[in-house]
Amino acid sequence: MNKKKSISNPVQNGNTSALEKSGGASVLLIYTGGTIGMMQDAKSGQLKPFDFKQLTDQIPELQKFDIKLSSVSFEVPIDSSDMQPSVWVELVNIIKENYSKVDGFVILHGSDTMSFTASALSFMLENLNKPVILTGSQLPIGTIRTDGKENLITAIEIAGAKVNGKPVISEVCIYFEFQLYRGNRTHKFNAEHFKAFQSSNYPILAEAGVYIKYNQSALMPPNGLKLKTHTELNQNIVVLKLFPGITSTVVNAILDIKNLRAVVLETFGSGNCTTEPWFIKSLQKAIQKGVIILNVTQCNAGAVVQGKYATSAELNEIGVVSGNDITTEAAITKLMFLLGATKSTTAVEKLLKTNIRGEVTVL
Ligand code: ASP
């Protein structure tokens, strides 16, 4: 099976009209795969994605919405561990093609790499003035205790929510287990709880109970500008996670990778690293070659403060860029986007220090 070929060719789902309702808002569902649409294979017992028609058959509630639903489904749905930048480009193109036709978008996606996709889309969709809500589930939709139904139904409601004819949300979000998050602030932190995501450094955008309560002051205000899409992504980056005992052989092998453009350096605590001279020298050599080094913390919450401890002061001196409170997921995708958009190392470094889509706190 050629997954990539199928993925790059999403098809309009044959059952679209059965889902349509008149009146209210309109939302396009984009089905990429993930646990929400998986079934247990009878022979192997493994979870495998099944098609969109079977997914919507499991949720008769979708027929009751006063929201006009249409759908696009990948020909071969994927486990999100197979996610690729080329699929992000497909998603951006689907959103661009349908942008003027619908009020909002819901992307059904596996939870494993959902934070990466949400972060990537936030950078690739400049001047987004409509909601793009990613959701999925920890248990398949066909299982009795599934979390998928609530996630999907509320995500659709949020994607269709308007005030005075304008969408309430105008950014890329993740909706999961009663909470709406800014997508590029999230990370998956739990592999088995229904509450699988956290947004440690940014407040929750909305909470769903009897009412959906929006945290107005945390929402990205619409800017009214025309949508601009970016589809050039540069994948010549690497994540280097420090640990006590990491050897110079490993560090140098990574920094010597051919065509390497940037390193997301996962450091300890508030951006600290070993002060061993070989380490600082290796980083300095890479920076002099034009490799960008972005310092992010291994901690789930809090920020890098380069220079707070002596163990990070030297990073400032040699030109390592502080990632402040950005997540690793957002750091990786922001670098892919910036390096795809410009060849200038100085311009990329400047934009890394700038908050461009609500992904980082800049004081
Ligand atoms: N492995 C699945 C995926 O990411 C897990 C999930 O959907 O939650 O596609």
Side-chain angles (χ1 to χ4, degrees):
M1 179 175 56
N2 184 340
K3 276 190 178 172
K4 268 194 190 137
K5 190 162 169 259
S6 309
I7 292 160
S8 68
N9 183 25
V11 291
Q12 199 71 35
N13 183 275
N15 198 35
T16 305
S17 57
L19 293 170
E20 287 184 4
K21 288 276 165 196
S22 57
S26 56
V27 170
L28 178 66
L29 286 182
I30 307 171
Y31 176 54
T32 70
T35 295
I36 191 161
M38 289 190 186
M39 248 169 36
Q40 209 155 23
D41 185 84
K43 272 194 197 145
S44 66
Q46 290 165 351
L47 284 174
K48 291 190 175 159
F50 65 95
D51 72 37
F52 188 74
K53 165 90 175 65
Q54 281 166 282
L55 175 80
T56 50
D57 282 353
Q58 299 286 340
I59 321 174
E61 290 89 338
L62 291 179
Q63 309 286 340
K64 296 184 192 154
F65 257 128
D66 185 27
I67 289 177
K68 189 178 168 194
L69 291 174
S70 50
S71 64
V72 173
S73 173
F74 283 169
E75 218 171 293
V76 179
I78 55 167
D79 185 300
S80 78
S81 306
D82 275 329
M83 190 47 66
Q84 289 290 339
S86 58
V87 183
W88 296 336
V89 172
E90 294 294 342
L91 287 171
V92 164
N93 287 337
I94 292 172
I95 291 168
K96 186 181 172 186
E97 273 164 34
N98 292 282
Y99 195 69
S100 60
K101 299 179 197 155
V102 294
D103 295 306
F105 300 85
V106 170
I107 302 178
L108 288 166
H109 192 291
S111 62
D112 286 349
T113 61
M114 194 183 285
S115 294
F116 289 92
T117 299
S119 300
L121 294 184
S122 76
F123 299 118
M124 295 164 83
L125 297 165
E126 188 176 346
N127 302 329
L128 183 67
N129 283 288
K130 293 190 177 186
V132 173
I133 316 293
L134 286 99
T135 195
S137 67
Q138 294 280 58
L139 278 177
I141 204 92
T143 54
I144 291 177
R145 290 178 54 248
T146 185
D147 50 328
K149 276 192 189 185
E150 197 286 321
N151 284 349
L152 176 55
I153 288 167
T154 307
I156 294 171
E157 200 166 330
I158 292 170
K162 290 194 215 175
V163 170
N164 301 328
K166 298 227 164 79
V168 174
I169 299 295
S170 44
E171 55 184 300
V172 180
C173 301
I174 286 182
Y175 178 77
F176 226 85
E177 190 64 1
F178 306 110
Q179 298 193 319
L180 183 73
Y181 310 96
R182 173 164 297 162
N184 60 27
R185 289 294 197 148
T186 60
H187 57 267
K188 184 173 179 182
F189 82 108
N190 201 304
E192 55 188 47
H193 285 181
F194 288 152
K195 186 177 176 344
F197 291 91
Q198 266 179 349
S199 169
S200 307
N201 288 333
Y202 197 76
I204 287 158
L205 302 186
E207 192 126 30
V210 173
Y211 306 104
I212 299 174
K213 288 194 178 152
Y214 292 93
N215 182 0
Q216 291 296 339
S217 62
L219 304 181
M220 181 89 74
N223 66 9
L225 299 174
K226 195 169 177 284
L227 178 74
K228 194 170 165 196
T229 58
H230 301 270
T231 50
E232 279 304 315
L233 296 172
N234 187 327
Q235 292 167 239
N236 291 321
I237 62 176
V238 75
V239 178
L240 173 52
K241 181 169 184 159
L242 298 186
F243 57 89
I246 194 166
T247 63
S248 59
T249 317
V250 165
V251 171
N252 288 329
I254 289 173
L255 296 176
D256 280 344
I257 293 171
K258 201 167 161 240
N259 298 328
L260 185 69
R261 288 292 284 118
V263 179
V264 175
L265 184 67
E266 278 202 358
T267 55
F268 310 118
S270 49
N272 306 312
C273 62
T274 171
T275 51
E276 288 197 57
W278 68 261
F279 180 72
I280 301 295
K281 263 195 209 124
S282 296
L283 293 185
Q284 192 169 25
K285 208 172 118 206
I287 292 168
Q288 281 162 357
K289 265 193 332 196
V291 174
I292 295 161
I293 306 207
L294 180 62
N295 184 2
V296 304
T297 176
Q298 293 178 11
C299 296
N300 276 344
V304 163
V305 187
Q306 269 180 195
K308 180 175 174 189
Y309 291 89
T311 45
S312 68
E314 272 179 300
L315 298 182
N316 265 342
E317 285 156 28
I318 62 170
V320 169
V321 180
S322 168
N324 205 340
D325 63 355
I326 199 167
T327 61
T328 297
E329 290 84 341
I332 291 168
T333 51
K334 186 173 180 179
L335 276 165
M336 283 187 185
F337 158 68
L338 293 177
L339 292 166
T342 173
K343 285 200 164 48
S344 160
T345 301
T346 327
V348 171
E349 288 184 338
K350 192 169 166 222
L351 286 165
L352 284 174
K353 294 175 195 158
T354 311
N355 175 19
I356 57 174
R357 304 279 194 275
E359 76 283 2
V360 64
T361 308
V362 175
L363 302 171

